[in-house]
Amino acid sequence: MLDPRLLRAFVTIADTGSFTLAADRLHMTQSTISQQLARLEDAVGRELIDRAARPVRTTASGERLIGHARRILLLQGEAELLLADTAGTASIRIGLPDDIATGTMTNAFAEFAKRHREVRLDVTAGLSLDLTKRYRGGEFDIVVVKEATPSADHRAAFPEAIAWFESADANPNWPEPLPLVTFPPGGLYRDAMFERIDRERLRWYVAFTSSSLSSVLSAVEAGLGLSLLPVGTTTGRRVRQSAAFGSEPSMVVSLYSWEGGGIVAELARDMTAILHGRFAAR
């Protein structure tokens, strides 16, 4: 049996990158937290924290354990909440792309929070490739990502139509090199744009880059260049589909969750219903 107190010391050290900061956060001495980590490492027979690194970080074995450690601590927190009113002390960590964090989705979060005062929702918006990596590393309990094909452990998946867009006022005959409006490196849309342009053997350059979907849409509206975007995000914007490039194969919007039961699974079901309403009818 892994002692939750030792797991908490390990997770806190990994999160803070410091024995000193971890000790302060857990209200104990640095010697005590070092001893707790050593006891856990003795129990599992592996070194979990690279003490020589600055800041300290998990070893390969530590990376494998930390996701499970977080889930054990979350389940322990749920059990403790049955006996005490500790509003806002149980965290559910959610990752999702910027355009999925709609008013409808945040309203669902608000309704869930009303039902579960004990839960604090920690929501992170970002690019799908990074969100997927962080979910696999145990940093999120629920994640929504966009990908070409869902992995076997997905809880739900929906196709998302994507297409090339330009300003409604743009001249449809774009000169070469083509100006492109993109997300930062590592974004799926960016990679798909470059692949298509390269297949067409066209010259291009990046005219505008932003991690914000709203900023990308505004740049396209202003005529800064062409961009590959989810069709559903362009409603009400002064953009039109590019006649020269048209649509691309759909992406997939996938939801993943570690837990099949409990309050994490309940929230995952609420989020799935929102995604179903947004994508299933298209």
Side-chain angles (χ1 to χ4, degrees), residues 12 33 35 46 48 60 64 69 82 91 108 141 149 165 177 180 185 189 214 221 227 270:
T12 307
I33 201 167
Q35 291 173 8
R46 298 285 189 278
L48 302 175
R64 293 178 63 187
L82 295 176
S91 171
D141 303 298
T149 305
F165 286 89
L180 301 180
Y189 300 130
S214 177
E221 282 184 314
S227 190
D270 291 347

Side-chain angles (χ1 to χ4, degrees), residues 19 30 49 61 70 83 95 97 106 116 140 218 225 250 263 266:
F19 282 82
Q30 186 171 336
I49 293 290
S61 295
R70 294 186 194 280
L83 303 176
T106 53
H116 298 283
F140 297 120
S218 294
S250 294
I263 58 174
E266 179 184 340

Side-chain angles (χ1 to χ4, degrees), residues 177-188:
L178 293 172
L180 301 180
V181 176
T182 76
F183 292 93
L188 292 175

Side-chain angles (χ1 to χ4, degrees), residues 203-274:
R203 292 182 298 115
W204 54 271
Y205 69 98
V206 174
F208 182 92
T209 300
S210 176
S211 59
S212 164
L213 175 64
S214 177
S215 296
V216 168
L217 281 165
S218 294
V220 174
E221 282 184 314
L224 281 171
L226 294 155
S227 190
L228 184 62
L229 296 166
V231 174
T233 66
T234 61
T235 303
R237 308 300 294 249
R238 285 193 53 76
V239 297
R240 68 187 178 213
Q241 287 196 31
S242 168
F245 293 96
S247 62
E248 294 281 339
S250 294
M251 295 284 185
V252 177
V253 177
S254 306
L255 182 144
Y256 296 87
S257 172
W258 290 112
E259 301 297 333
I263 58 174
V264 174
E266 179 184 340
L267 179 57
R269 289 192 295 271
D270 291 347
M271 294 174 65
T272 298
I274 299 299

Side-chain angles (χ1 to χ4, degrees), residues 2-15:
L2 297 178
D3 188 333
R5 293 174 301 172
L6 308 185
L7 292 175
R8 182 169 285 107
F10 163 56
V11 169
T12 307
I13 293 167
D15 285 346

Side-chain angles (χ1 to χ4, degrees), residues 2-279:
L2 297 178
D3 188 333
R5 293 174 301 172
L6 308 185
L7 292 175
R8 182 169 285 107
F10 163 56
V11 169
T12 307
I13 293 167
D15 285 346
T16 61
S18 165
F19 282 82
T20 301
L21 293 176
D24 288 343
R25 181 174 294 184
L26 296 178
H27 307 292
M28 60 180 63
T29 66
Q30 186 171 336
S31 174
T32 299
I33 201 167
S34 297
Q35 291 173 8
Q36 289 189 348
L37 177 64
R39 289 172 57 195
L40 179 62
E41 290 176 329
D42 287 343
V44 299
R46 298 285 189 278
E47 186 175 287
L48 302 175
I49 293 290
D50 182 356
R51 294 161 174 79
R54 291 295 180 274
V56 299
R57 59 175 180 264
T58 54
T59 63
S61 295
E63 289 179 351
R64 293 178 63 187
L65 175 63
I66 195 162
H68 296 285
R70 294 186 194 280
R71 296 200 294 279
I72 290 170
L73 293 175
L74 178 63
L75 290 172
Q76 182 196 32
E78 289 186 34
E80 292 172 349
L81 287 171
L82 295 176
L83 303 176
D85 182 8
T86 53
T89 59
S91 171
I92 297 180
R93 299 155 304 139
I94 305 162
L96 70 177
D98 184 43
D99 63 298
I100 299 299
T102 61
T104 304
M105 184 66 75
T106 53
N107 286 339
F109 291 159
E111 289 300 318
F112 180 85
K114 290 177 183 177
R115 298 195 303 268
H116 298 283
R117 293 178 59 253
E118 73 278 13
V119 172
R120 180 183 73 254
L121 300 180
D122 295 333
V123 181
T124 300
L127 298 176
S128 291
L129 291 178
D130 181 59
L131 294 175
T132 298
K133 180 180 178 181
R134 294 175 65 181
Y135 172 75
R136 296 300 179 190
E139 293 187 42
F140 297 120
D141 303 298
I142 302 171
V143 73
V144 178
V145 297
K146 300 183 181 186
E147 53 194 352
T149 305
S151 298
D153 61 338
H154 70 278
R155 301 282 180 178
F158 305 92
E160 179 183 55
I162 60 174
W164 289 78
F165 286 89
E166 61 192 12
S167 170
D169 303 318
N171 184 332
N173 299 313
W174 290 90
E176 288 191 58
L178 293 172
L180 301 180
V181 176
T182 76
F183 292 93
L188 292 175
Y189 300 130
R190 180 187 177 105
D191 293 345
M193 289 171 66
F194 292 172
E195 290 175 6
R196 173 68 182 277
I197 294 294
D198 289 344
R199 286 200 308 270
E200 300 285 346
R201 298 183 180 276
L202 297 172
R203 292 182 298 115
W204 54 271
Y205 69 98
V206 174
F208 182 92
T209 300
S210 176
S211 59
S212 164
L213 175 64
S214 177
S215 296
V216 168
L217 281 165
S218 294
V220 174
E221 282 184 314
L224 281 171
L226 294 155
S227 190
L228 184 62
L229 296 166
V231 174
T233 66
T234 61
T235 303
R237 308 300 294 249
R238 285 193 53 76
V239 297
R240 68 187 178 213
Q241 287 196 31
S242 168
F245 293 96
S247 62
E248 294 281 339
S250 294
M251 295 284 185
V252 177
V253 177
S254 306
L255 182 144
Y256 296 87
S257 172
W258 290 112
E259 301 297 333
I263 58 174
V264 174
E266 179 184 340
L267 179 57
R269 289 192 295 271
D270 291 347
M271 294 174 65
T272 298
I274 299 299
L275 296 174
H276 185 276
R278 176 173 174 175
F279 296 109

